[in-house]
């Protein structure tokens, strides 16, 4: 049996899938330790996992620029997020990672795609166990076939985006790349050698927690990328049904709306306008999940029911449309049940997730974080009135049903065996990947 270290950035949408993977490995008989924020110790304990706490750092907060054209807002937001979520925690994450590696002989390290503390380990040239990056959000890697990550644009078939990506790297984010290289040099590990958002290509594998059908086609996808399928929610006992559950069994159409568990400090972004848009309709039942937000939702219309958290295996089989700010896990859970989506999100990776929903035809990208009630009502009518949205969602659901994420992850780990720093025979050296020896997407 193997011994694995699983490191996750202290953000719920990153920690939960990583803890789920760690729990699945433990159930297969492996020894697994988590490295993440102390606030997630109880979550790890629920999965019978030990957790080493990262040093206390300022909490990573949602960032949104509200001024200027959307592309300018996205650049400003992206720059702020890179600095706060990718660059600021790097040194502390690296120190914690090295400390843990010094305590035990791990057969492999799994880190989420925001855990940049792994970068110095990857570029230092020293002995290390295999490192696998886990894609808990959309692929960030630059591609000639895709617009730069973060702008939320869908690719146009046949267009070459090389020049646009070069401009983003060398002009818009030049200063941030310099910050990354300076941070790594201060740790005595050289330089990154790749653009900040491309750093997962340095790892031995990139386990993308999705299916190819929910990603843009790329002819230059690196050899190291493995699509595992979405990670299901943590295994928990089925919750007791709320007293209003019978209202969902009356044949009325059901809309589910959520702002997730992270960017939900102001429920006026999405929940309140949704309730205003749909509250007077007799043919709909609205189920809202506040995700534990401290914000008060206010008066509820007669057809709306609210819970802090909702069991998706119980709810989603009955849902006709899901309205969300675009969390990667929640969106893919909806798609796994063939539920079409309406997405409104402006920070982090949410514009990219929304764009993929629109690109696949499985829903509507509202291209804003604060849609009006009129915009929401129109989008709901559009999705309910056009069966092509559900057909597209069901197509992705069928692909997801054919995936087996935990088996795939276990198989990848078995490729490396128990010998540190052994690279899989079919995976080209990191230098070759970075230089462009890449393959067609599946």
């Amino acid at each position: 049996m193997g011994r694995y270290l699983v490191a996750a950035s202290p953000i719920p949408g990153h920690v939960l899938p990583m803890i789920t993977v760690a729990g699945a490995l433990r159930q297969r008989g492996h020894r697994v330790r988590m490295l993440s924020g102390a606030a997630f110790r109880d979550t790890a304990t629920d999965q019978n996992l030990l957790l080493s706490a990262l040093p206390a750092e300022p909490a990573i907060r949602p960032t949104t620029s509200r001024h200027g054209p959307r592309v300018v807002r996205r650049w400003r937001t992206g720059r702020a997020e890179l600095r706060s979520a990718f660059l600021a925690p790097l040194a502390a994450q690296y120190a914690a990672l090295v400390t843990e590696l010094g305590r035990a002989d791990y057969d492999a390290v799994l880190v989420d795609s925001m855990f940049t503390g792994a970068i110095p380990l990857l570029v230092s040239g020293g002995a290390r166990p295999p490192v696998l990056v886990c894609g808990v959000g959309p692929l960030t890697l630059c591609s000639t076939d895709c617009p730069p990550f973060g702008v939320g644009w869908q690719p146009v078939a046949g267009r070459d985006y090389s020049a646009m990506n070069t401009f983003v790297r060398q002009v818009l984010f030049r200063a941030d790349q310099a910050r990354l290289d300076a941070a790594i040099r201060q740790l005595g590990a050289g330089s990154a050698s790749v653009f900040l958002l491309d750093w997962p290509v340095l790892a031995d594998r990139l386990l993308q927690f999705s299916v190819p059908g929910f990603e843009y086609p790329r002819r230059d996808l690196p050899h190291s990328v493995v699509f595992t399928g979405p990670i299901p929610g943590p295994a928990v006992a089925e919750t007791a049904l709320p007293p209003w559950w019978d209202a969902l069994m009356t044949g009325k159409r059901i809309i589910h709306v959520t702002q997730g568990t992270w960017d939900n400090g102001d429920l006026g972004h999405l929940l309140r306008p949704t309730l205003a848009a749909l509250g007077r309709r007799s043919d709909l039942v609205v189920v809202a999940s506040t995700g534990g937000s401290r914000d008060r939702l206010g008066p509820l219309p007669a057809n709306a029911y609210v819970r802090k958290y909702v069991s998706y295996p119980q709810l989603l089989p009955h849902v006709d449309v899901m309205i969300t700010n675009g969390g990667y896990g929640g969106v893919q859970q909806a798609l796994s049940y063939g539920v079409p989506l309406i997405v409104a999100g402006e920070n982090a990776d949410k514009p990219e997730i929304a764009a993929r929903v629109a690109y696949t035809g499985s829903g509507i990208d509202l291209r804003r974080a604060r849609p009006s009630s009129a915009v929401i009502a129109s989008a709901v009518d559009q999705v309910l009135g056009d069966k092509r949205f559900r057909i597209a969602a069901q197509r992705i659901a069928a692909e997801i049903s054919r995936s087996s994420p935990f088996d795939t992850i276990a198989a990848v780990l078995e490729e490396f065996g128990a010998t540190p720093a052994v690279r899989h025979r079919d995976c080209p050296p990191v230098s070759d990947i970075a230089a462009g020896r890449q393959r067609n997407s599946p």
Side-chain angles (χ1 to χ4, degrees), residues 76-93:
R76 290 172 176 164
T77 299
R79 182 178 60 182
E81 290 169 344
L82 281 178
R83 293 176 180 178
S84 66
F86 281 74
L87 296 177
L90 186 150
Q93 289 180 354

Side-chain angles (χ1 to χ4, degrees), residues 98-115:
V98 170
T99 297
E100 282 304 316
L101 292 178
R103 290 175 176 171
D105 291 326
Y106 289 99
D107 296 312
V109 179
L110 293 84
V111 302
D112 77 90
S113 46
M114 192 183 285
F115 198 93

Side-chain angles (χ1 to χ4, degrees), residues 42-115:
D42 289 345
T43 307
T45 301
D46 289 343
Q47 299 295 319
N48 295 316
L49 297 165
L50 296 175
L51 181 141
S52 295
L54 290 167
E57 291 276 340
I60 300 172
R61 303 294 185 188
T63 303
T64 302
S65 174
R66 299 183 183 180
H67 305 289
R70 188 171 192 258
V71 66
V72 175
R73 298 199 310 270
R74 284 302 309 145
W75 171 63
R76 290 172 176 164
T77 299
R79 182 178 60 182
E81 290 169 344
L82 281 178
R83 293 176 180 178
S84 66
F86 281 74
L87 296 177
L90 186 150
Q93 289 180 354
Y94 175 62
L97 187 60
V98 170
T99 297
E100 282 304 316
L101 292 178
R103 290 175 176 171
D105 291 326
Y106 289 99
D107 296 312
V109 179
L110 293 84
V111 302
D112 77 90
S113 46
M114 192 183 285
F115 198 93

Side-chain angles (χ1 to χ4, degrees), residues 191 246 261 438:
S191 63
D246 287 345
T261 57
Q438 300 167 322

Side-chain angles (χ1 to χ4, degrees), residues 364-419:
I364 293 176
D365 176 6
L366 295 183
R367 298 178 62 81
R368 67 198 78 182
R370 291 176 172 264
S372 68
S373 57
V375 166
I376 293 172
S378 176
V380 169
D381 288 339
Q382 186 178 349
V383 173
L384 291 175
D386 190 339
K387 63 182 180 181
R388 288 176 295 183
F389 290 107
R390 181 165 285 274
I391 290 173
Q394 290 172 338
R395 182 178 64 248
I396 298 176
E399 185 177 1
I400 291 174
S401 71
R402 295 191 294 270
S403 70
S404 183
F406 301 131
D407 289 341
T408 300
I409 293 169
V412 170
L413 289 170
E414 287 175 5
E415 291 176 354
F416 294 98
T419 303

Side-chain angles (χ1 to χ4, degrees), residues 165-431:
N165 280 295
T166 298
F167 176 76
V168 168
R169 292 194 303 267
Q170 297 183 1
V171 178
L172 295 184
F173 290 98
R174 180 177 180 179
D176 301 289
Q177 188 68 28
R179 289 178 182 223
L180 171 65
D181 288 335
I184 295 175
R185 283 196 299 271
Q186 288 178 356
L187 297 171
S191 63
S193 76
V194 296
F195 180 52
L196 175 56
L197 292 180
D198 288 336
W199 82 267
V201 303
L202 299 170
D204 299 288
R205 286 290 187 278
L206 169 51
L207 302 173
Q208 187 59 33
F209 291 170
S210 187
V211 291
F214 193 57
E215 258 302 337
Y216 299 138
R218 302 163 185 250
R219 291 167 295 174
D220 52 5
L221 191 72
H223 287 77
S224 56
V225 177
V226 177
F227 286 93
T228 66
I231 304 300
V236 294
E238 196 169 82
T239 59
L241 297 177
W244 45 261
W245 188 259
D246 287 345
L248 308 186
M249 306 295 121
T250 59
K252 294 183 178 180
R253 290 177 292 186
I254 299 170
I255 309 299
H256 171 51
V257 58
T258 178
Q259 278 185 222
T261 57
W262 185 53
D263 187 13
N264 62 9
D266 180 359
L267 299 179
H269 283 199
L270 193 55
L271 266 63
R272 290 194 194 99
T274 297
L275 296 179
L278 307 178
R280 296 184 179 181
R281 297 194 181 191
S282 61
D283 62 336
L284 298 176
V285 172
V286 183
V287 180
S289 172
T290 63
S293 174
R294 296 181 180 180
D295 190 17
R296 295 181 65 87
L297 194 53
L300 297 178
N303 69 338
Y305 303 94
V306 176
R307 295 197 99 184
K308 289 183 178 180
Y309 302 99
V310 178
S311 168
Y312 278 167
Q314 291 174 309
L315 176 67
L316 287 176
H318 307 288
V319 170
D320 293 283
V321 182
M322 178 168 165
I323 304 172
T324 173
N325 63 348
Y328 199 55
V331 163
Q332 293 198 95
Q333 285 196 62
L335 290 174
S336 71
Y337 287 90
V339 177
L341 295 134
I342 297 169
V343 187
E346 279 271 293
N347 57 34
D349 55 6
K350 291 176 174 58
E352 290 292 337
I353 297 166
R356 283 159 174 77
V357 167
Y359 181 82
T360 59
S362 58
I364 293 176
D365 176 6
L366 295 183
R367 298 178 62 81
R368 67 198 78 182
R370 291 176 172 264
S372 68
S373 57
V375 166
I376 293 172
S378 176
V380 169
D381 288 339
Q382 186 178 349
V383 173
L384 291 175
D386 190 339
K387 63 182 180 181
R388 288 176 295 183
F389 290 107
R390 181 165 285 274
I391 290 173
Q394 290 172 338
R395 182 178 64 248
I396 298 176
E399 185 177 1
I400 291 174
S401 71
R402 295 191 294 270
S403 70
S404 183
F406 301 131
D407 289 341
T408 300
I409 293 169
V412 170
L413 289 170
E414 287 175 5
E415 291 176 354
F416 294 98
T419 303
V422 173
R423 201 178 309 282
H424 181 240
R425 62 183 181 277
D426 293 330
C427 184
V430 166
S431 58

